[in-house]
Amino acid sequence: MKPTIAPYPLTRFRRARQSPAIRGLVRENNLTVDDLIWPVFVRDGEGIEEPVPSMPGVVRRSVDLIEKAAIEAQALGIPAICIFPYTDPSLKTEDCAEAWNPDNLSNRAIRAIKNAAPDIAVMTDVALDPYNINGHDGYVVDGQIVNDQTVEALVKMTLAQADAGADIIGPSDMMDGRVGEMRKALEGAGHQNVMILSYAAKYASAFYGPFRDAVGASGALTGDKKTYQMDPANSDEALRLIERDLTEGADMVMIKPGMPYLDICRRVKDTFGAPTYAYQVSGEYAMIQAAANNGWIDGEKVMLESLMAFKRAGCDGVLTYFAPRVAQLLQG
Ligand code: PBG
């Protein structure tokens, strides 16, 4: 872009900000309900809605109440819901077999939602951490997270989710080569239309803390995830990972966390032009919500501004715990 040397009247930028109507005319980005994917936590039982202490306003729901929430989300026009299971500690094992149990919590929730709210797309999480005795996303052998053996397990998990009716598979494990193997398996099983939204650039972030409480993984986790999740210092590496996952068959890609990584979102969108999503993660949500609950910020305005930032950075959509509240605001 050439620097503009304009005569004085043209430098009156405030002309374009003079009223809501004019501001609307020149607005470059918009936040709509189509941009939202709503992550929800599911737990065992019936009629249960239990608050997650580190995420004020967020609850874990039993399957029947997830079903109800999905019906409401569908009515609000939210296009997709993403399921995360709070798995009973007694089901966590070294071989993580619960992960591909066709009747595990997550797969029961998928079926219930597809049955009750068929127009909302159901996204899943593929990683072993809810089922792993040591809280890691992959198998741990002699203190190492082993890649290829984990990928085999992730493929079984993927097929169980697709069989249950999942529309979008979300590998969040950061193992190498999993997208290609998952795509091959889905094709082989007649699930050609099941999409893969790859958590392609997922950083080893402290912003996931509240989520690990929500799914009951904090207590289990030994060590950190730095040998598979990305170093927050890197940016070129994110582009190489995104390219790799798109080549292996991902339909959409994700950057995670969101707000601290908007520079990555912009680079990814500019480089590939593929459907690009950001995850406004649990720690981002908790920070905004905590400050709002203390009366230190206007929670509603900060929520909308934080989500608009993703659009401005080039994202096609955002996974956000705020989804129903945003949808309500945008509708009203
Ligand atoms: C697990 C997973 C995590 C999140 C989504 N899937 C946590 C982690 O990698 O430890 C984080 C979501 C959030 O913080 O909101 N594979």
Side-chain angles (χ1 to χ4, degrees):
M1 232 190 282
K2 266 196 283 173
T4 322
I5 302 167
Y8 172 66
L10 281 181
T11 62
R12 284 195 189 275
F13 277 100
R14 292 185 52 199
R15 267 202 303 271
R17 301 181 202 131
Q18 61 185 291
S19 67
I22 302 296
R23 289 196 292 277
L25 276 176
V26 301
R27 187 160 296 131
E28 297 174 35
N29 295 288
N30 273 299
L31 180 67
T32 80
V33 72
D34 288 333
D35 301 323
L36 306 170
I37 298 178
W38 184 26
V40 295
F41 299 112
V42 58
R43 53 152 294 153
D44 253 331
E46 227 190 287
I48 302 175
E49 219 175 64
E50 147 189 82
V52 177
S54 49
M55 300 179 73
V58 170
V59 295
R60 302 184 191 111
R61 296 172 170 85
S62 50
V63 174
D64 55 323
L65 295 186
I66 283 278
E67 205 176 294
K68 196 169 146 241
I71 293 169
E72 284 161 14
Q74 180 177 264
L76 285 166
I78 293 175
I81 197 165
C82 180
I83 299 171
F84 292 100
Y86 172 84
T87 303
D88 191 88
S90 69
L91 295 171
K92 295 179 199 255
T93 57
E94 221 160 293
D95 67 0
C96 308
E98 183 65 9
W100 53 91
N101 173 357
D103 288 316
N104 71 18
L105 196 50
S106 173
N107 292 331
R108 277 186 276 137
I110 296 170
R111 278 194 215 96
I113 295 174
K114 289 313 291 182
N115 193 39
D119 294 338
I120 200 163
V122 176
M123 176 175 167
T124 62
D125 188 69
V126 178
L128 299 181
D129 54 332
Y131 311 100
N132 205 343
I133 199 140
N134 47 54
H136 277 289
D137 293 16
Y139 285 132
V140 184
V141 177
D142 297 331
Q144 307 278 334
I145 316 299
V146 294
N147 194 89
D148 300 6
Q149 211 175 318
T150 299
V151 170
E152 284 174 28
L154 298 174
V155 166
K156 288 192 259 181
M157 190 175 176
T158 300
L159 289 177
Q161 293 174 347
D163 288 343
D167 301 287
I168 307 169
I169 304 290
S172 72
D173 54 283
M174 288 296 279
M175 297 299 119
D176 288 319
R178 88 281 206 212
V179 172
E181 291 303 316
M182 288 164 60
R183 175 55 75 209
K184 231 190 298 173
L186 287 169
E187 289 284 323
H191 290 302
Q192 289 86 351
N193 284 334
V194 172
M195 304 186 83
I196 298 177
L197 199 182
S198 164
Y199 289 57
K202 178 172 176 181
Y203 287 86
S205 172
F207 283 95
Y208 308 149
F211 173 95
R212 291 180 192 164
D213 291 341
V215 298
S218 329
L221 184 62
T222 48
D224 58 47
K225 300 191 175 184
K226 290 181 184 169
T227 69
Y228 46 108
Q229 299 180 346
M230 276 183 72
D231 182 342
N234 294 352
S235 165
D236 291 341
E237 185 189 354
L239 298 188
R240 298 173 66 212
L241 288 172
I242 301 263
E243 181 172 29
R244 191 263 318 261
D245 283 6
L246 287 171
T247 310
E248 288 188 13
D251 303 284
M252 307 179 269
V253 291
M254 191 202 296
I255 293 98
K256 174 182 176 191
M259 205 145 77
Y261 296 87
L262 290 179
D263 56 322
I264 311 296
C265 298
R266 172 47 68 194
R267 285 191 77 187
V268 166
K269 190 62 187 180
D270 286 349
T271 307
F272 301 105
T276 303
Y277 291 78
Y279 198 141
Q280 182 177 54
V281 300
S282 56
E284 299 175 64
Y285 171 88
M287 288 195 302
I288 294 175
Q289 202 50 44
N293 287 355
N294 276 314
W296 295 339
I297 57 173
D298 181 326
E300 213 161 77
K301 288 189 177 135
V302 170
M303 167 181 88
L304 292 174
E305 185 177 333
S306 69
L307 292 169
M308 183 64 86
F310 292 108
K311 298 302 300 289
R312 199 188 59 243
C315 292
D316 295 284
V318 193
L319 284 91
T320 175
Y321 300 98
F322 288 123
R325 273 156 67 190
V326 178
Q328 248 154 16
L329 275 180
L330 295 177
Q331 219 182 35

